[in-house]
Amino acid sequence: MQFSFSDEQDQFRAIIQRFLREKSPTTEVRRLMATERGYDSEVWRQLAEQLGLPAIHIPEVHGGSGFGPVELCIVMEEFGRYLLCAPYFASSVLATTAIMNGATAAEQAELLPPIASGERIATLAFTEPNGRWDATGVELTADLAGGDYLLSGTKSFVLDGCSAELLIVVAREPGTSGSQGLSFFRVEPDAAGLVREQLQSMDATRKLARLTFTNTPGILLGELGSAAAALSRTLSLAAIALANEMVGGAQALLDSAVSYAKMRVQFGRTIGSFQAIKHKCADMLLEVESAKSAAYYAAQAAADNDSDLPALASLAKACASDAYMHTAASCIQIHGGIGFTWENDTHLWFKRAKSSEVFLGDPSYHRELLMQNREL
Amino acid sequence: MKVLVAVKRVVDYNVKVRAKADGSDVDLNNVKMAINPFCEIAVEEAIRLREAGVATEVIAVSIGDKSCQEQIRTSLALGADRGIQVETEGAVEPLVVAKLLKGVIEKEQPQLVILGKQSIDGDNNQTGQMLGALTNMPQGTFASELVVDGDKITVTREVDGGLQTLSLNLPAIVTTDLRLNEPRYASLPNIMKAKKKQMDVYSPADLGVEPKAHLTTLKVEPPPERKAGIMVASVEELVDKLKNEAKVIS
């Protein structure tokens, strides 16, 4: 495969970089991560109205821009580089992709336009306290009572679950297991029997929530019991988007480490001139570039509707997780003592690296999926 | 009303520029280039005038080699309707730029010409004023507010010690200050649309201008590096050094 970004995509990336340089410096990241909501609604409005980012991969008929996974991944990579605090991954990646894959055309026409315009923030609730990232982990049930579906159970690690204005919930018919009987439901944030609690997590730049449903009314999206394939594709695309976000973060750490190594003088010379530091930087570069290749390749495969998508998504996620964590650890090492302090920004990316490493499944899980996919 | 906006390709404002080893110029190899920030403000103002129904067409013009088409495309992505490139080789001086812009004005007959007050590379702050002199059009420089009313334009200028408000007859020339507006960001659909917008290329000869060099750059060198500070033992010593060494207090 020959892959390179077009001039227009490069220009688009440069504009996003400029936007983020101005709107998401680390001083802003630190300010927003200390807030309950976790993002600045004015910045969100600007990125929606001027740059049209929530609309990027939504079809034009539903108020989107009609681009695809490659453009979405450009956005994610830059958000990862600048650690933007915004509900983009929850709303524009997870929820939007679930709706696009699992809802009927009429439901898409109703739900996607306000998400595309940024007026409504949605999220996908599928993981439960058992911590499984696949369909078999879904235990929350949807019972049909008097013509309405009532949801009961708990969802955990829901991204922006407390601030989202629309919840897409994965539930199963009672008595089913595995990938059988799964459906998507839409739940309003003020629905009866819904309790939303913010979770304390290591990475304060991402807000996680636990949602408890007690006979909470939900509206079925798509066909009853047939969401397994849509969920699987949604998770593959989300893993690819997250992998791209992670390589953006890893690149930021590499740049930071190299810049510090060129500036910091010890024993009369810059520390970057010591072989031990050079080796670390070279290893970081190798890992970041390899992870980038896997992430870009997977994004292009998603755009091409490649049949290998689940395997490529797992490959991208596993590579990016390893690269991001190693780069974060090496970046702290290169910074020395200052790298371990609260004042230095490295820990912001380190924590994001750790939370992203386990979100949607850790590298071992994805390598296992890859092997299963290859029937090895 | 037709609005002409001049845009210049300059080194991105985030880049720390370096002088060439031989001191002949700034090193532009592998340096990120961008639209001059003041020109971007000019483009934004022209687009706002069109969105307000005051302007009917916004034309972005740039002068330089083929690479400056990138900045014209950026202007088109921001909302300009069409672009003009005046193709030149090498660096062009403010007077030549003003003469070339005068040629474009004669061809296009805009009612309003908006330029950045200066470019962040040369920092000359000359082109708008020279263009005003060459075209005999009224000029409002360093504009921080701009209101078009019929065949007149009111320009609020940021001057030393306050604001000055001028009323100019159209056609007129305005140069933008930093606080005129906050430029928007281009979206990907608009970047794609910009590809299809019309862009005309003129040579200086088409505009009846022969570029000439009037200035010679003798030397380009970085500012001297700051020396390390020293610790003083007491306030008295500090005051003494400020008085007798730095001579900043008496």
Side-chain angles (χ1 to χ4, degrees):
Chain A
M1 178 195 274
Q2 279 271 329
F3 180 82
S4 64
F5 293 106
S6 67
D7 289 347
E8 289 75 25
Q9 287 169 335
D10 285 337
Q11 198 182 342
F12 178 55
R13 183 190 293 279
I15 289 167
I16 299 172
Q17 285 176 349
R18 194 182 129 194
F19 177 81
L20 295 170
R21 258 199 314 268
E22 289 168 10
K23 307 292 178 189
S24 184
T26 50
T27 47
E28 268 305 282
V29 174
R30 286 171 183 267
R31 181 182 73 81
L32 291 168
M33 72 185 199
T35 64
E36 198 173 320
R37 199 174 189 201
Y39 70 97
D40 184 331
S41 46
E42 179 55 27
V43 172
W44 178 259
R45 187 192 62 75
Q46 216 171 356
L47 75 80
E49 283 181 9
Q50 288 190 22
L51 290 160
L53 300 186
I56 198 83
H57 67 134
I58 293 176
E60 285 173 293
V61 288
H62 299 317
S65 303
F67 295 100
V70 175
E71 288 77 12
L72 178 72
C73 288
I74 291 173
V75 177
M76 287 298 290
E77 186 180 348
E78 297 312 320
F79 282 4
R81 188 192 308 267
Y82 289 92
L83 275 188
L84 178 75
C85 293
Y88 192 81
F89 187 46
S91 190
S92 303
V93 180
L94 288 167
T96 299
T97 311
I99 295 167
M100 283 165 61
N101 285 304
T104 64
E107 289 160 351
Q108 290 184 36
E110 184 195 349
L111 296 176
L112 291 176
I115 297 176
S117 66
E119 290 162 41
R120 197 168 201 196
I121 289 160
T123 190
L124 175 67
F126 71 101
T127 326
E128 303 199 359
N130 59 38
R132 294 188 63 108
W133 297 98
D134 55 13
T136 56
V138 177
E139 292 172 4
L140 186 140
T141 55
D143 291 283
L144 190 60
D148 292 325
Y149 287 99
L150 298 177
L151 310 186
S152 295
T154 304
K155 293 290 180 189
S156 201
F157 318 116
V158 182
L159 266 189
D160 299 297
C162 282
S163 58
E165 293 142 334
L166 172 68
L167 306 168
I168 307 298
V169 182
V170 183
R172 65 167 64 252
E173 286 177 80
T176 62
S177 62
S179 56
Q180 302 298 310
L182 294 176
S183 308
F184 287 117
F185 292 86
R186 60 180 278 199
V187 175
E188 296 301 319
D190 55 355
L194 171 64
V195 177
R196 307 200 279 181
E197 302 162 82
Q198 193 99 280
L199 292 173
Q200 291 298 318
S201 61
M202 185 180 70
D203 175 19
T205 62
R206 277 223 162 107
K207 302 297 178 190
L208 296 174
R210 177 168 47 237
L211 311 182
T212 310
F213 299 79
T214 311
N215 290 325
T216 305
I219 299 168
L220 177 68
L221 294 177
E223 274 184 50
L224 183 68
S226 61
L231 178 63
S232 168
R233 183 168 168 78
T234 299
L235 294 180
S236 291
L237 287 167
I240 293 167
L242 184 57
N244 277 274
E245 188 197 81
M246 294 167 87
V247 297
Q251 182 68 53
L253 289 166
L254 170 61
D255 293 344
S256 163
V258 170
S259 157
Y260 187 75
K262 284 179 175 173
M263 182 265 286
R264 174 75 168 141
V265 175
Q266 276 288 23
F267 311 109
R269 51 200 277 202
T270 55
I271 60 168
S273 64
F274 294 116
Q275 204 168 37
I277 301 292
K278 282 183 187 172
H279 281 179
K280 267 195 193 306
C281 291
D283 288 344
M284 287 162 82
L285 176 70
L286 188 68
E287 284 201 85
V288 173
E289 288 301 320
S290 303
K292 263 188 193 175
S293 298
Y296 293 170
Y297 186 84
Q300 184 61 51
D304 295 342
N305 237 340
D306 196 308
S307 58
D308 253 354
L309 192 64
L312 293 171
S314 287
L315 180 70
K317 175 68 173 63
C319 284
S321 297
D322 287 341
Y324 202 1
M325 271 317 297
H326 291 164
T327 312
S330 298
C331 187
I332 289 179
Q333 290 290 320
I334 289 172
H335 275 82
I338 192 81
F340 204 68
T341 62
W342 179 258
E343 288 73 17
N344 186 275
D345 290 329
T346 308
H347 70 93
L348 300 173
W349 277 270
F350 182 90
K351 289 168 186 167
R352 176 65 75 85
K354 192 67 200 168
S355 75
S356 301
E357 183 191 31
V358 292
F359 199 77
L360 300 178
D362 66 13
S364 305
Y365 168 77
H366 278 285
R367 276 191 279 271
E368 177 62 31
L369 278 187
L370 181 61
M371 301 295 262
Q372 284 176 12
N373 198 277
R374 285 281 175 273
E375 295 177 351
L376 292 170
Chain B
M1 185 173 82
K2 195 188 273 190
V3 181
L4 186 77
V5 188
V7 292
K8 186 176 181 186
R9 177 181 169 87
V10 297
V11 175
D12 188 275
Y13 68 91
N14 277 299
V15 174
K16 193 177 173 193
V17 292
R18 286 185 297 195
K20 283 183 179 174
D22 62 2
S24 60
D25 205 345
V26 170
D27 190 355
L28 296 182
N29 278 331
N30 298 317
V31 169
K32 188 177 174 223
M33 305 297 280
I35 188 167
N36 177 41
F38 291 106
C39 300
E40 201 172 7
I41 292 168
V43 173
E44 174 66 29
E45 196 61 21
I47 295 163
R48 288 186 187 190
L49 287 173
R50 199 200 49 214
E51 286 172 347
V54 176
T56 51
E57 188 181 26
V58 176
I59 306 163
V61 57
S62 190
I63 297 166
D65 61 20
K66 203 172 176 198
S67 56
C68 78
Q69 287 191 3
E70 197 184 309
Q71 278 59 49
I72 299 175
R73 290 280 174 218
T74 304
S75 309
L76 297 175
L78 289 168
D81 298 291
R82 63 187 169 93
I84 294 173
Q85 181 208 354
V86 181
E87 191 156 19
T88 58
E89 283 177 17
V92 279
E93 297 170 5
L95 182 58
V96 177
V97 173
K99 285 180 177 174
L100 291 169
L101 288 175
K102 176 175 176 271
V104 176
I105 289 170
E106 283 166 359
K107 267 189 189 293
E108 294 289 342
Q109 297 294 316
Q111 280 74 54
L112 181 62
V113 183
I114 312 180
L115 305 88
K117 71 170 181 180
Q118 66 193 67
S119 59
I120 60 169
D121 53 358
D123 272 343
N124 288 311
N125 184 5
Q126 293 173 350
T127 305
Q129 293 86 331
M130 286 177 169
L131 185 61
L134 289 171
T135 56
N136 212 20
M137 284 158 72
Q139 56 174 301
T141 52
F142 315 139
S144 63
E145 196 184 345
L146 195 157
V147 180
V148 178
D149 183 15
D151 59 353
K152 286 188 183 298
I153 182 166
T154 306
V155 178
T156 304
R157 306 179 63 227
E158 294 197 349
V159 293
D160 287 347
L163 299 173
Q164 180 190 45
T165 306
L166 300 176
S167 178
L168 313 175
N169 291 323
L170 292 172
I173 291 167
V174 171
T175 70
T176 63
D177 213 325
L178 200 61
R179 282 161 288 277
L180 180 60
N181 59 51
E182 188 185 338
R184 69 193 68 192
Y185 300 91
S187 66
L188 184 54
N190 287 338
I191 294 170
M192 303 302 282
K193 280 181 205 160
K195 270 172 76 179
K196 294 178 185 158
K197 289 185 180 174
Q198 180 187 340
M199 188 175 333
D200 300 315
V201 180
Y202 297 137
S203 68
D206 295 335
L207 304 170
V209 177
E210 191 188 338
K212 281 183 195 163
H214 304 87
L215 303 168
T216 308
T217 302
L218 299 178
K219 197 175 182 186
V220 174
E221 56 185 351
E225 284 194 19
R226 281 182 64 183
K227 289 178 188 161
I230 55 163
M231 294 288 287
V232 291
S234 64
V235 174
E236 288 73 26
E237 189 188 347
L238 174 66
V239 172
D240 178 63
K241 284 189 182 297
L242 290 173
K243 257 186 193 171
N244 301 317
E245 284 184 26
K247 294 186 172 41
V248 291
I249 56 172
S250 54

